[in-house]
Amino acid sequence: MPTSSPPPYGDLLAHLTRTSALGPGEAARVVAEVLAYFSESATEYVRRRHGELQARGLSNEQIFTRIAEELPARRVAAPELSLRQLRRIVYG
């Protein structure tokens, strides 16, 4: 009889269910959401943040300055991008 492999991040799931009110299914969903959030590429992040900040009424100069400040703090380090490179990601 084949044995099933443990779920990815099983130790994290066990920790979350042991130390919080989350059940196993909820913990798995939270971990999946966090992993999806941090798997976003720098390009995807810049485009998403540009849209979010633009919707708040910020100017492109404010937006690109803010994104340039945010990128180094991302969990997965993004390459250092100039303001011109950030604009090219959004506008091509």
Side-chain angles (χ1 to χ4, degrees):
M1 188 176 279
T3 59
S4 63
S5 59
Y9 307 101
D11 56 335
L12 176 58
L13 296 175
H15 174 75
L16 288 173
T17 57
R18 188 174 55 252
T19 60
S20 71
L22 297 174
E26 294 166 316
R29 284 190 297 278
V30 167
V31 169
E33 277 295 318
V34 170
L35 291 174
Y37 177 82
F38 286 120
S39 69
E40 187 175 46
S41 72
T43 300
E44 292 166 333
Y45 176 77
V46 168
R47 287 182 177 142
R48 177 177 60 79
R49 282 298 286 154
H50 181 270
E52 291 170 355
L53 296 171
Q54 194 174 46
R56 290 190 205 166
L58 275 71
S59 70
N60 273 339
E61 186 171 339
Q62 293 171 312
I63 290 170
F64 292 122
T65 299
R66 182 175 295 183
I67 292 172
E69 292 169 355
E70 292 175 354
L71 276 173
R74 294 285 298 163
R75 176 65 179 98
V76 177
E80 188 171 331
L81 300 171
S82 69
L83 297 180
R84 179 185 167 121
Q85 288 171 309
L86 294 173
R87 284 184 185 91
R88 292 194 72 192
I89 288 171
V90 173
Y91 296 110

